[in-house]
Amino acid sequence: MTISVRDTPFDPYAELRAHQERLGQQGKYGAMASFVGTLRDHHQGDAVRAMTLEHYPGMTEKYLQHIVVEARARWPILDALIIHRYGALAPGEPIMLAAAWAEHRGAAFDACRYLVEELKHRAPFWKHEMLDAGQRWMERNTP
């Protein structure tokens, strides 16, 4: 299990390849499901020029570890990876990557979706959008 919260851009596909190489369990898993979230250039009808993500260091990583432990208790996954950005982001940049490895696709899909949904709904991140018409703090994530 790897959790990374960072303020630098990342290539999600290079991160998946590197993690899979470190995992070293080729032949043990039959499925890997992943999700990459990127910053849109629009939200709620407004053009978005940039976004700043804030988090609570230490608490955020602990929470992300907690949801991976929950996913492992619910599904027979072999490993999981979560990478999430904070700081300044531009439209098109990856914000987060979640992935789960399992023997079978059902467990990989279900666990990956759980990681994404739990992270989006409960993880301690705060979003501040810079718009063409000003700026705003986001009150909640999209459903």
Side-chain angles (χ1 to χ4, degrees), residues 63-79:
Y63 181 76
L64 297 177
Q65 289 172 354
H66 175 72
I67 64 172
V68 169
V69 168
E70 287 179 345
R72 291 182 98 166
R74 294 180 71 170
W75 296 279
I77 60 173
L78 300 169
D79 201 18

Side-chain angles (χ1 to χ4, degrees), residues 10-131:
F10 67 94
D11 175 345
Y13 308 104
E15 295 287 347
L16 284 170
R17 279 190 302 277
H19 187 81
Q20 211 160 272
E21 288 173 13
R22 285 189 305 272
L23 185 58
Q25 293 192 35
Q26 282 71 9
K28 302 285 185 204
Y29 56 87
M32 183 276 294
S34 64
F35 173 86
V36 176
T38 58
L39 179 59
R40 292 183 305 270
D41 67 356
H42 64 281
H43 188 238
Q44 298 177 340
D46 295 315
V48 175
R49 291 185 288 118
M51 181 172 69
T52 300
L53 273 169
E54 294 185 6
H55 77 110
Y56 193 103
M59 182 174 144
T60 304
E61 293 84 353
K62 184 180 264 189
Y63 181 76
L64 297 177
Q65 289 172 354
H66 175 72
I67 64 172
V68 169
V69 168
E70 287 179 345
R72 291 182 98 166
R74 294 180 71 170
W75 296 279
I77 60 173
L78 300 169
D79 201 18
L81 169 66
I82 296 176
I83 299 173
H84 204 293
R85 284 279 307 276
Y86 70 92
L89 289 113
E93 287 188 308
I95 299 172
M96 60 94 62
L97 164 66
W101 285 261
E103 284 187 40
H104 302 284
R105 70 184 176 276
F109 278 131
D110 292 344
C112 184
R113 178 166 189 133
Y114 180 82
L115 295 172
V116 172
E117 297 298 336
E118 290 300 304
L119 186 155
K120 291 289 286 177
H121 292 292
R122 299 190 333 206
F125 287 100
W126 297 274
K127 298 176 180 180
H128 187 245
E129 291 180 328
M130 279 55 81
L131 312 169

